[in-house]
Amino acid sequence: MAFKLASVSTLALTAALGLTMAACTSMPGWSGAGTAAPVQAPAQVQWVRDVHSHARPEIARVHHVDLNLKADFDRRMLAGTASLSITAEEGAGEIIVDIRDLDIHGVRSDDGPLDYTIGEESPFIGKPLIIAIPFTEGRIHIDYSTRPDAAALQWLTPEQTAGGEQPYLFSQGQAILTRTWIPTQDSPGIRQSYSARIVVPEDLKAVMSAEMLTPEGEPAGPGERAYRFRLDNPVPPYLIAIGVGDIAFASLGERTGVYTEPSMLEAARAEFPAVESMVEEAEALYGPYLWGRYDLLVLPPSFPFGGMENPRLTFATPTIIAGDQSLVALVAHELAHSWSGNLVTNATWDDFWLNEGFTVYFENRIMEAVYGRDRAMQEQVLGWEDLQGELADLPPEDTRLKLDLAGRDPDEGMTNIAYEKGAFFLRTIERIVGRDRFDAWLKGYFERNAYRPMTTAMFLEDIRTHLIQGDAALEEALMMDAWVYQPGLPSNAMAPVSQAFDPVDAAARSVFVEGGAPPQSLWQGWNTQQRQRFLAWRPEGHQAGQDWLSDAQLKALDEGLGLSAAGNSEVLFAWLQIAMTHRYEPAVAPTEAFLKGMGRRKFVLPLFQTLWGEGEWGRDLARRIYAEARPLYHPVTSNSVDAVVGVPD
Ligand code: BES
Ligand code: ZN
């Protein structure tokens, strides 16, 4: 990309321009429940080059997005205007925003039409929309519409919802999908506040990751209602999110609640009584929750992730509603992102571990505070086992915390390395310096860096300045450079231990090694984490696809423990993985029902991979199931499965 000013283009990489983001945000000093605390002004923003965006923020940047969109369910299209408030350097002459699969109908300033060009498409990244700007401060209005197959959006038919009566729409922006529904600078280092007016059919409700200004909506055109939203806290654009459907609300606490379809509301309300105390414990650990309300949106089953930390409104899969609160660590996780990720944000996707590793660490601290040390340690041990599996599967260069994702889809960085190696790195520091010192540093880290992008190098600088403070022995003991820049695990990593797993491991040995009967009565007394531990057992040196059980053993397990009928999605998934690896016929129907009943990629993709590894038996089955299930999935899930099974004709 060539710039109009040679003197500006030399600033392109990591120049610090001394921009204050305070100048970018209007900051009414409100207070009261549900309203976010005033945004603190970060001192300086260092622009770091993001290879997954066309934007050049060092030359011209977006600081507020105002959307005026109509949701057209018949055409599966959002159409209207994105008004971008921008700041440019003197003489910049143009601003570049990211678009992918958007139809641009025109670009205007407040005074009239603006010239624009659309550049070449790059894989994953989309195209640059280059707009000529005759000013350094002002607004540009982009008239546009989305495509029916916009990768961020899923348009559900009524049959794909719980209620079965109304259609549904939801978005998933992370990592680089927001540009498929909003033309803006879609880079995690370019924070933007936003506001929106969304027009929907009158029997539907719109919700967004923002303050809901019109909870009941307001009259719009015939048969339509409009909903308005505002988020004054500047956020990376991947956190702008929308849901539209037959959506009801139940309060959980003073500043917490849950939105979902009416038929799901009671189950959701009953699952999440702990949410308010999670917010309190999180604040007690690492400082005030700065976003006002914390609500959940429990989506229809095709939601492709477990959870997504959209500000003020975590999006969650209904598969975490287990009936016994056993999977609520996911809520602790998404809540923790309100600090790690949403306040202190990975500057680029190469620094993804700064979002997820910190969040898994913080999540587990919330779980410990609310549910006790024993439960927290069980979850740590399960995470450690996942990490060992990931380390064995990935090429060593992908096991560094700091990644180099140039030329790759940022999705490829979404591994247990970022999540679990990242978390165990922080636990290693905690163990060596002591919890009190570690907590004081981490609280300060969130405070010092709130509303700012963070790189791995900046993190190292922060911890050296504020925690290590030149202590050479401590520096050596922590092995920080090895943790972030080297593959695998440094020698100071320590496996967590949970005594609650001792009887589980003994039972697993007796069943799986000695051929004993399934531990029916023990199983009844085990919690979900113990059941997951039991089902995660594999023989020493086990390779993917290898069998280790006989048909008789599978039958005894299935019938003795009621596995194919398990209501807990994690337990059912773990069992179906075992059953399909062994081509265990009685579990084919439950597998098919599971794969057609939800679209969470973490469950769907590994099951299809397992089937695909089982020769023609599994491949025929995978093709048959996928032909029917694919239309139910969000593009995030179907794109991943397409790469394994292929696109059905
Ligand atoms: N932010 C992630 C989800 C994500 C990451 C979406 C990268 C797109 C790209 C979210 O916080 C997350 O980690 N979800 C996990 C659950 C969590 C408990 C580990 C998930 O969805 O499984
Ligand atoms: Zn996360």
Side-chain angles (χ1 to χ4, degrees), residues 473-495:
L474 181 55
E475 175 71 45
E476 197 182 345
L478 293 178
M479 307 179 74
M480 296 201 300
D481 289 308
W483 273 95
V484 298
Y485 296 124
Q486 298 300 318
L489 286 181
S491 57
N492 63 0
M494 267 178 70

Side-chain angles (χ1 to χ4, degrees), residues 421-442:
K421 182 179 172 183
F424 280 107
F425 176 30
L426 298 183
R427 288 179 193 131
T428 303
I429 303 172
E430 183 210 307
R431 194 186 70 233
I432 293 172
V433 306
R435 182 170 272 194
D436 290 349
R437 270 181 83 192
F438 182 78
D439 281 354
W441 167 74
L442 185 49

Side-chain angles (χ1 to χ4, degrees), residues 15-34:
L17 289 176
L19 302 162
T20 68
M21 290 179 73
C24 306
T25 3
S26 64
M27 202 42 53
W30 345 302
S31 60

Side-chain angles (χ1 to χ4, degrees), residues 172-177 238-239 303-309 317 327 329-334 337 349 352 355-356 359-360 363 410-411 413-414 416 419-420 570 600-602 636:
Q172 166 57 42
Q174 200 180 10
I176 53 171
L177 303 180
Y238 71 83
L239 293 176
F303 185 62
F305 292 107
M308 178 63 214
E309 65 270 27
T317 168
L327 304 178
L330 186 137
V331 177
H333 178 96
E334 305 313 335
H337 272 305
W349 300 112
F352 183 56
N355 275 19
E356 298 300 341
T359 297
V360 171
E363 162 200 339
D411 254 26
M414 222 193 131
N416 276 314
Y419 287 80
E420 296 295 342
E570 293 282 356
R600 185 175 174 186
R601 184 170 67 178
K602 172 185 156 186
V636 159

Side-chain angles (χ1 to χ4, degrees), residues 115-168:
D115 287 338
Y116 67 93
T117 55
I118 294 175
E120 287 295 304
E121 172 103 34
S122 314
F124 331 118
I125 297 169
K127 298 173 182 171
L129 168 60
I130 306 153
I131 302 162
I133 43 169
F135 47 69
T136 58
E137 282 293 333
R139 290 207 304 167
I140 53 180
H141 310 282
I142 305 173
D143 300 315
Y144 74 103
S145 51
T146 63
R147 302 267 177 85
D149 58 354
L153 303 178
Q154 192 180 10
W155 299 86
L156 302 178
T157 62
E159 298 72 48
Q160 289 171 274
T161 67
E165 304 268 312
Q166 298 288 352
Y168 203 104

Side-chain angles (χ1 to χ4, degrees), residues 373-608:
R373 177 95 178 146
D374 193 29
R375 167 76 172 269
M377 289 312 296
Q378 293 174 33
E379 292 186 342
Q380 279 194 33
V381 174
L382 292 176
W384 176 265
E385 290 307 320
D386 289 345
L387 175 58
Q388 299 309 313
E390 198 79 286
L391 287 167
D393 289 351
L394 286 175
E397 60 277 14
D398 287 345
T399 68
R400 307 170 201 270
L401 287 175
K402 169 77 176 179
L403 299 172
D404 178 5
L405 293 168
R408 298 168 80 180
D409 187 328
D411 254 26
E412 291 187 38
M414 222 193 131
T415 71
N416 276 314
I417 299 304
Y419 287 80
E420 296 295 342
K421 182 179 172 183
F424 280 107
F425 176 30
L426 298 183
R427 288 179 193 131
T428 303
I429 303 172
E430 183 210 307
R431 194 186 70 233
I432 293 172
V433 306
R435 182 170 272 194
D436 290 349
R437 270 181 83 192
F438 182 78
D439 281 354
W441 167 74
L442 185 49
K443 187 173 181 184
Y445 167 88
F446 290 136
E447 230 170 68
R448 282 186 293 279
N449 300 298
Y451 301 107
R452 299 181 67 180
M454 180 62 56
T455 64
T456 299
M458 289 160 67
F459 149 77
L460 288 172
E461 192 183 312
D462 186 282
I463 197 166
R464 287 192 166 116
T465 305
H466 297 281
L467 181 63
I468 301 172
Q469 299 178 320
D471 180 337
L474 181 55
E475 175 71 45
E476 197 182 345
L478 293 178
M479 307 179 74
M480 296 201 300
D481 289 308
W483 273 95
V484 298
Y485 296 124
Q486 298 300 318
L489 286 181
S491 57
N492 63 0
M494 267 178 70
V497 180
S498 165
Q499 267 96 48
F501 287 167
D502 291 347
V504 179
D505 294 348
R509 271 192 305 278
S510 126
V511 175
F512 298 123
V513 183
E514 289 143 27
Q520 269 189 34
S521 62
L522 283 175
W523 177 269
Q524 291 313 319
W526 285 345
N527 70 7
T528 294
Q529 286 65 37
Q530 290 172 306
R531 292 175 178 188
Q532 285 180 275
R533 170 76 175 189
F534 180 78
L535 294 173
W537 189 92
R538 296 292 181 273
E540 198 82 43
H542 177 258
Q543 306 279 314
Q546 261 173 17
D547 291 5
W548 68 96
L549 296 168
S550 67
D551 259 19
Q553 282 180 303
L554 289 160
K555 185 169 189 302
L557 278 172
D558 190 10
E559 290 171 5
L561 308 181
L563 295 175
S564 288
N568 186 292
S569 58
E570 293 282 356
V571 171
L572 180 61
F573 166 70
W575 159 244
L576 296 176
Q577 281 282 67
I578 296 170
M580 290 304 99
T581 301
H582 291 88
R583 309 187 192 184
Y584 177 64
E585 287 288 345
V588 167
T591 301
E592 181 165 353
F594 188 58
L595 288 171
K596 289 180 183 169
M598 56 85 228
R600 185 175 174 186
R601 184 170 67 178
K602 172 185 156 186
F603 295 151
V604 169
L605 180 61
L607 277 169
F608 277 112

